[in-house]
Amino acid sequence: MSNIFLKPGREKALLRRHPWVFSGAIARVKGNPGVGETVDVMDSDGGFLARGAYSPQSQIRVRVWSFDPGTHIDEGFFRQRLGTSIANRYPLFIDAPPQTAARLVHAESDGLPGLVVDRYADTLVMQVLSAGVERWRETIADLLLVLTNARRVYERSDAEVRKLEGLPLRVGHIRGEAGPERVQIEENGLEFWVDISKGHKTGFYLDQRLNRARVRELAAGQEVLDCFSYSGGFALNALAGGAASITAVDSSSDALALADENRALNGLPADHVHWLTGDVFQVLRSFRDQARDFDLIILDPPKFAPTSSQAQKAARGYKDINLLALKLLRPGGLLVTFSCSGGILAEFFQKIVADAALDAGVDAQILEHLEQSPDHPVALNFPEGAYLKGLVVKVV
Ligand code: SAH
């Protein structure tokens, strides 16, 4: 096995069990490890620190599989890690309200750096985001069928981050029966169509499950504006919660067409729902110019800052939409606002929203802090795993 020797003093993160080794921390490589090959990481004195996967093209040069020198990285290792991760989600499929969809594997936070597996009813969608997982991809796909009662595994390895690892983009059926590209799921008692081949990420934003349920509770009798609606996750929950009207905005007309199919699938009425294809930045401005107002506004934008280097530029985008939304709220109205940018920490996000309120000239209070649902856990040694943050803000 090849060995990676760190520079003196660069072992601190690994001693805290953080699972990444950056290229800049490495003094030398003994051997000639291939893409995704298992390597041992040593401190500058040659003491064992961790065993992980080598990624020669990535800034994150090694992702750790284990901190135990006795762990062999083989089929048994993946069987054990996947088994634990999958078992931890069982209650979700059994408890009320029933779910037929959940994230089964959340990468680093489940001890499997670079692997995401989402379950949509009988279908598993796996996303391979690192060289190490790429090397074990066939084994992992086999195990996923064995360890669940799913009928098939589909691969959505088309995330841009694969390019940073030097990996080609790949999408398609990988194990089990071939099946339709649209799958029906149940989340909190609502049915949704999920397009596993062309939908965003693996097809659905499972991380918002509990926040959607919260919006359902807040929406009764309210006039609701759902910005960045995608397939209608928040909008339909608001409708199910008895909202008086819903306006849902997305730049993708395909997404909104799917959202309306989802509405029909649940037998929810069409009369008070307006699907509006457009750019949220422009739509909010035009609503301001028309003096429109709402009781409840949801802002769930895409990732403006994937890494901290884009944080400042992203902050302007977040501030802009939050400022405009706060101005559209009636007194006593609620803003449910999110950021899923890994590069924007929760405290910074709160400051952006505070700045937005200041510039909007409104007094507002935080009623609740929201986060990703618990099938997207955050390992304590991997704070980067906490990417989704949200606030419920009341205009007073
Ligand atoms: N709220 C959704 C997830 C939102 S994902 C849910 O609960 O499932 C972000 C969405 O924003 C995508 O559907 C994307 O098409 C849309 N989008 C991205 N930029 C946009 C823009 N400037 N204006 C409107 N929609 C945008």
Side-chain angles (χ1 to χ4, degrees), residues 191-263:
E191 311 272 344
F192 289 91
W193 285 111
V194 177
D195 184 334
I196 58 167
S197 71
K198 290 185 275 311
H200 296 167
K201 302 213 282 187
T202 64
F204 197 70
Y205 291 86
L206 290 168
D207 51 0
Q208 291 283 25
R209 176 174 51 90
L210 292 184
N211 301 328
R212 293 194 190 107
R214 186 69 188 115
V215 161
R216 191 188 305 188
E217 293 168 345
L218 296 171
Q222 308 291 296
E223 292 194 18
V224 178
L225 173 62
D226 177 22
C227 297
F228 309 97
S229 187
Y230 188 47
S231 55
F234 283 104
L236 298 188
N237 273 280
L239 201 56
S245 74
I246 317 254
T247 303
V249 186
D250 201 283
S251 53
S252 161
S253 55
D254 287 349
L256 293 182
L258 188 58
D260 195 52
E261 278 191 60
N262 287 333
R263 177 199 57 71

Side-chain angles (χ1 to χ4, degrees), residues 47-192:
F48 176 91
L49 290 167
R51 184 159 293 156
Y54 190 65
S55 184
Q57 289 202 32
S58 173
Q59 286 302 307
I60 305 173
R61 197 55 53 89
V62 180
R63 284 177 162 82
V64 173
W65 294 128
S66 175
F67 293 94
D68 176 357
T71 304
H72 293 289
I73 309 307
D74 53 15
E75 200 230 10
F77 167 81
F78 289 100
R79 182 182 286 271
Q80 189 270 329
R81 286 275 162 100
L82 288 169
T84 304
S85 192
I86 291 164
N88 284 340
R89 273 68 171 192
Y90 277 150
L92 268 177
F93 299 105
I94 299 162
D95 292 354
Q99 318 295 332
T100 63
R103 175 151 297 188
L104 298 185
V105 181
H106 189 47
E108 274 78 353
S109 291
D110 281 307
L112 292 165
L115 178 66
V116 166
V117 182
D118 286 338
R119 174 162 202 151
Y120 298 117
D122 283 345
T123 299
L124 305 182
V125 182
M126 76 184 256
Q127 198 169 42
V128 176
L129 302 171
S130 68
V133 176
E134 180 82 359
R135 195 169 181 102
W136 290 95
R137 152 179 186 273
E138 302 281 342
T139 306
I140 289 168
D142 285 339
L143 285 169
L144 285 174
L145 271 193
V146 172
L147 294 171
T148 64
N149 56 353
R151 289 158 72 149
R152 61 183 176 138
V153 184
Y154 193 86
E155 185 175 8
R156 277 298 297 273
S157 296
D158 55 342
E160 288 295 308
V161 290
R162 273 178 70 93
K163 294 185 181 161
L164 301 177
E165 299 274 315
L167 302 172
L169 306 188
R170 194 191 306 109
V171 173
H173 174 263
I174 161 165
R175 282 295 181 286
E177 304 164 16
E181 298 193 333
R182 267 197 185 191
V183 181
Q184 201 173 310
I185 62 159
E186 185 172 340
E187 182 194 76
N188 302 326
L190 285 178
E191 311 272 344
F192 289 91

